[in-house]
C-alpha cells in the first residue's frame, strides 16, 4: 500500500538423512525491515507461528523439542549493527520436506517525487532452481508506468518473473511512476475494529523562492572531515582533493569553515572553524594541495569529539561532511557520539567510498546526525556525488511540524516529534487513532518554513485493511529502540506490547510455532547450521508493493558420520559487476584527446599551461580556482581564462552592468559552453556566482526577480 512493502519469501528444505536434526538458519534483511509472519508446511499441515515475549518463546521451543514435537522459532539477534533473524527448526524429521514462508515488512526511504523503486536482494535467492516472483502494486495515485528487471512480465499492476535462478544476474527490481507527485494521506479503517483508523501521510514540503532567497545565502559552519588513512592512497585521495577544491569555492560568503583530516591522528587546517574570507580561502587551497593519505589507521571518533568539543555558534548552524573508505575502530561508539553531541540545528552528511567501506557506520552516523549519505564504488565518482550531497545540504528546512488530528482522540504517532525536513524532500508520518470520529477528506499539517508559518492541506484516500497499523507499530518500535522517546522509561515493555499486538519480531519478541506430531521424535538431535549470505546494507525499499518470491530450490542436508556440526551452505549467485559511471574528464581544447585516462598530476600540469590563442585552454578545475570568495571572477581572470584581452572581454558590456558582474557572467558562459558535460560538478559554484551577479545588478536599481531573469537570459 503506497509507501509500504510486504514481502513473502517461500523456500523448501529437505532432510535427506536417516535421523532427526535441528536446523539453525540466519537471515540478514535490509535495515528497517522486520519479520512479520512465519508459516511452515509439512506433509499438508500448515503451522502458523505467533509472537510471544522472547524468553517465553524460547522456553516453549525447548519444551516442544524435549517432548518430541517439531518446533519453529524466529528471533532477532542482539547485534546492534546487523538486522539478523535466527530461524530454528527443531526435530526436523528424517526424509521429510518442510516449506517455510517468511513474511517481512519495510518502508521506503529517500525516494523522489513520482517515482519509487523496490529491489529484492539477489543474495536472498538461491543460485540454482526455479524462482517464481510476483509483485503487486497498490497506489492511491494513478500509476503511469511500471519498469522492471529485464525478463519480467508486467500485467496491469502485477510484475511477474519466472525462470531459473541462474539466469538472474542482478536484484529483482521494480520502479513505479505515478501521476500524483504531491503530498497525500491514506486512512485505513481496520477490518476487525471500525473504531480503529491507521494513517500514513506522505509529505513533500516545498517553499516558493522569494526575492530575498535570490540574493541571500545561508550563514552556516561547514566542517569537512576527510579520511587520510593509508587505504585512501591513490585515486581516492586525489579525487577527494579535487572535490574539496570545488566545495571551498562554493561556500557562501557569510559562513565559517574548516578541514579536518583523520587517520590514527588528526590534522586540522585551523584549530577551529574560521570566517570564510579571501585570505582563509587561499590558505585552504594551499592546505588541500598538501593533503595525502599519510595518517595511518581509521579513527573517526577522535576528530568528531574534537569538533563537538567546540560549542556551535547559534548564528552558524553546523554542517559536518565525512568522507571515508574504511572501517573505523569503534563503530558503535562513533554513532553514539554523534547521537549524543549533534546540536539541534546541526546535521552530518557522509560519503562512503569503495567496496570495503563500513556501510553500517555511514548509515548510522547520518541517521544520528539527521543528514543524508551516499556510496560510491569508483573513485572517479567522488567529485560528482560529494558535491550532490553538499547541494542537498543547502536547501531550506521546515521545522515545528504538527499534524492536525481530530480533537479528543487517542493518537499514537511516529515519529512522535517530527524532525526538521529539507525543502522538497519526502517524509512519512504514521499514526493510529483509536475511538476517533471518521477522518474527513483532508488533514492539515502546520509548520514554520524559511518565510514563516506554513499550512498544508493533505488529500485523504480511504480504504479498509490491516497493513498500515503494522507499519505504525514498526515505526514506533524503531523510535523506541533508537531512544527517541523522551526519557525512554518503559521502552522495553512498550516494544513487547507492540510486538505481540501487531505480530512483529523485535529484540524482545519472537515467533513460535509447534507441530504436535502423532509419533513424537526420539533420539539425539544433530545440529545443522544453514548459512545465508547477508544482502548488501544499502537496498532500495519499495513503494506500494506486495511481493511474493517462491524458490523451489532445495537446501538438502546430507548426513555424515563424523559427529561434527554440519553446515548447509546455499550457493550464492555470481554478481555481474555493474559498470560505474565515471565523471567526465575535463576537456582541454588546446590538446588532443585520445580517450585515455591521464594521470591526475599530468592533467594539472596541462591545465596550467596557457596556449596563447583565443579559446579556453584549461580545465574547469582551474577556472574554479580563480573564483573569489564572494563568488565572482575579476577582469584579469576572465581575460586569462579565455585568452582574450580585457578590452575584448568587456566589448559588449552594457553600461548599467558593473565590471565584476559582467566578467562573472562571462566566465559562467565559458563553463556552460565548453564544460557542459561536467556541470554536475562545477554547477555548485555557478549558483554562488549567480547570487553575486544578482546582488551587483540590484545595486543599479533592478529588483531581485528582474535581476535573476537577466542572469538566466
Amino acid at each position: 500500500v503506497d509507501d509500504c512493502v510486504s514481502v513473502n519469501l517461500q523456500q523448501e528444505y529437505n532432510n535427506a538423512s536417516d535421523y532427526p536434526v535441528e536446523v539453525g538458519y540466519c537471515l540478514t534483511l535490509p535495515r528497517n525491515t522486520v519479520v512479520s509472519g512465519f508459516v511452515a508446511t509439512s506433509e499438508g499441515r500448515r503451522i502458523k507461528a505467533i509472537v510471544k515475549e522472547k524468553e517465553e518463546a524460547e522456553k516453549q521451543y525447548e519444551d516442544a523439542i524435549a517432548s518430541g514435537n517439531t518446533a519453529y522459532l524466529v528471533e532477532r539477534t542482539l547485534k546492534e549493527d546487523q538486522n539478523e533473524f535466527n530461524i530454528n527448526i527443531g526435530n526436523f524429521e528424517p526424509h521429510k520436506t518442510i516449506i517455510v514462508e517468511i513474511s517481512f515488512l519495510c518502508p521506503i526511504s529517500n525516494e523522489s517525487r513520482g517515482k519509487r523503486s523496490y529491489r529484492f536482494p539477489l543474495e536472498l535467492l538461491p543460485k540454482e532452481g526455479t524462482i517464481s516472483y510476483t509483485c503487486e502494486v497498490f497506489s492511491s495515485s494513478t500509476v503511469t508506468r511500471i519498469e522492471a528487471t529485464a525478463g519480467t512480465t508486467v500485467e496491469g499492476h502485477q510484475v511477474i518473473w519466472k525462470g531459473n535462478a541462474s539466469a538472474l544476474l542482478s536484484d529483482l527490481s521494480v520502479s513505479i511512476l505515478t501521476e500524483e507527485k504531491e503530498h497525500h494521506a491514506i486512512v485505513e479503517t481496520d477490518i476487525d475494529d471500525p473504531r480503529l483508523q491507521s494513517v500514513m501521510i506522505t509529505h513533500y514540503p516545498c517553499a516558493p523562492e522569494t526575492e530575498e532567497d535570490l540574493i541571500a545565502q545561508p550563514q552556516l559552519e561547514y566542517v569537512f572531515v576527510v579520511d587520510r588513512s593509508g587505504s585512501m592512497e591513490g585515486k581516492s585521495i586525489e579525487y577527494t582533493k579535487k572535490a574539496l577544491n570545488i566545495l571551498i569555492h562554493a561556500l557562501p560568503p557569510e559562513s565559517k569553515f574548516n578541514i579536518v583530516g583523520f587517520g590514527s591522528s588528526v590534522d586540522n587546517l585551523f584549530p577551529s572553524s574560521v570566517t570564510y574570507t579571501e585570505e582563509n580561502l587561499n590558505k585552504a587551497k594551499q592546505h588541500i594541495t598538501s593533503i595525502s593519505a599519510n595518517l595511518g589507521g581509521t579513527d573517526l571518533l577522535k576528530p568528531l569529539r574534537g569538533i563537538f568539543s567546540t560549542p556551535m555558534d547559534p548564528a552558524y548552524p553546523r554542517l559536518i561532511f565525512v568522507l571515508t573508505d574504511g572501517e573505523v575502530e569503534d563503530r558503535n561508539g562513533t554513532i553514539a557520539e554523534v547521537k549524543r553531541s549533534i546540536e539541534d540545528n546541526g546535521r552530518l552528511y557522509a560519503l562512503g567510498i569503495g567496496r570495503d567501506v563500513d556501510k553500517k557506520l555511514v548509515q548510522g552516523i547520518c541517521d544520528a546526525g539527521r543528514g543524508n549519505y551516499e556510496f560510491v564504488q569508483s573513485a572517479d565518482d567522488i567529485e560528482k556525488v560529494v558535491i550532490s550531497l553538499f547541494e542537498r545540504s543547502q536547501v531550506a528546512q521546515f521545522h515545528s511540524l504538527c499534524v492536525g488530528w481530530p480533537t479528543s482522540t487517542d493518537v499514537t504517532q511516529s515519529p512522535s516529534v517530527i524532525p526538521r525536513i529539507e525543502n522538497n524532500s519526502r517524509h512519512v508520518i504514521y499514526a493510529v487513532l483509536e475511538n476517533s470520529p471518521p477522518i474527513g477528506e483532508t488533514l492539515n499539517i502546520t509548520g514554520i518554513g524559511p518565510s514563516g508559518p506554513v499550512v498544508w492541506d493533505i488529500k485523504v484516500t480511504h480504504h479498509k485493511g490491516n497493513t498500515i497499523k503494522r507499519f505504525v507499530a514498526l515505526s514506533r518500535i524503531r523510535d523506541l529502540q533508537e531512544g527517541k522517546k523522551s526519557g525512554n522509561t518503559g521502552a522495553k515493555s512498550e516494544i513487547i506490547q507492540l510486538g505481540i499486538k501487531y505480530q512483529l519480531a523485535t529484540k524482545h519478541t519472537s515467533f513460535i510455532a509447534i507441530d504436535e506430531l502423532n509419533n513424537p521424535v526420539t533420539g539425539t538431535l544433530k545440529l545443522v547450521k544453514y548459512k545465508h549470505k547477508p544482502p548488501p546494507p544499502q537496498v532500495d525499499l519499495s513503494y506500494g508493493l506486495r511481493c511474493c518470491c517462491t524458490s523451489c530450490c532445495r537446501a538438502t542436508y546430507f548426513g555424515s558420520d563424523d559427529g561434527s556440526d554440519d553446515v548447509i551452505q546455499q550457493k550464492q549467485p555470481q554478481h555481474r559487476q555493474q559498470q560505474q559511471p565515471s565523471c567526465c574528464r575535463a576537456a582541454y581544447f588546446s590538446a588532443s584527446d585520445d580517450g585515455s585516462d591521464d594521470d591526475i598530476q599530468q592533467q594539472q600540469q596541462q591545465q596550467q599551461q596557457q596556449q596563447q590563442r583565443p579559446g579556453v585552454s584549461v580545465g574547469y578545475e582551474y577556472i574554479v580556482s580563480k573564483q573569489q570568495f564572494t563568488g565572482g571572477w575579476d577582469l584579469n581572470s576572465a581575460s586569462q581564462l579565455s585568452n582574450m584581452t580585457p578590452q575584448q572581454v568587456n566589448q559588449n558590456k552594457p553600461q548599467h552592468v558593473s565590471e565584476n558582474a559582467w566578467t562573472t557572467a562571462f566566465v559562467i558562459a565559458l563553463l556552460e559552453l565548453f564544460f557542459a558535460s561536467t556541470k554536475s560538478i562545477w554547477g555548485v559554484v555557478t549558483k554562488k556566482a549567480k547570487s553575486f551577479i544578482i546582488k551587483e545588478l540590484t545595486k543599479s536599481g533592478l529588483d531581485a526577480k528582474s535581476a535573476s531573469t537577466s542572469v538566466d537570459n
Side-chain angles (χ1 to χ4, degrees), residues 341-384:
S341 303
I342 195 77
E343 300 86 354
D344 288 342
N345 290 335
R347 281 171 286 155
L348 185 147
Y349 298 79
L351 176 69
I353 302 167
R355 288 181 170 79
D356 297 327
V357 68
D358 187 342
K359 293 183 173 65
K360 296 291 183 181
L361 167 83
V362 171
Q363 293 165 340
I365 59 176
C366 290
D367 287 346
R370 300 185 298 276
N372 302 111
Y373 58 84
E374 293 285 356
F375 295 100
V376 293
Q377 297 294 324
S378 169
D380 296 350
D381 295 328
I382 291 175
E383 280 182 285
K384 180 173 60 179

Side-chain angles (χ1 to χ4, degrees), residues 447-461:
I448 299 176
S451 302
V454 189
V455 179
W456 296 272
D457 291 323
I458 312 294
K459 185 177 68 174
V460 171
T461 301

Side-chain angles (χ1 to χ4, degrees), residues 632-651:
W633 282 270
D634 60 23
L635 180 59
N636 288 335
S637 294
S639 173
Q640 178 192 21
L641 295 172
S642 62
N643 287 316
M644 297 171 67
T645 66
Q647 291 76 19
Q648 289 175 316
V649 172
N650 275 334
Q651 183 175 356

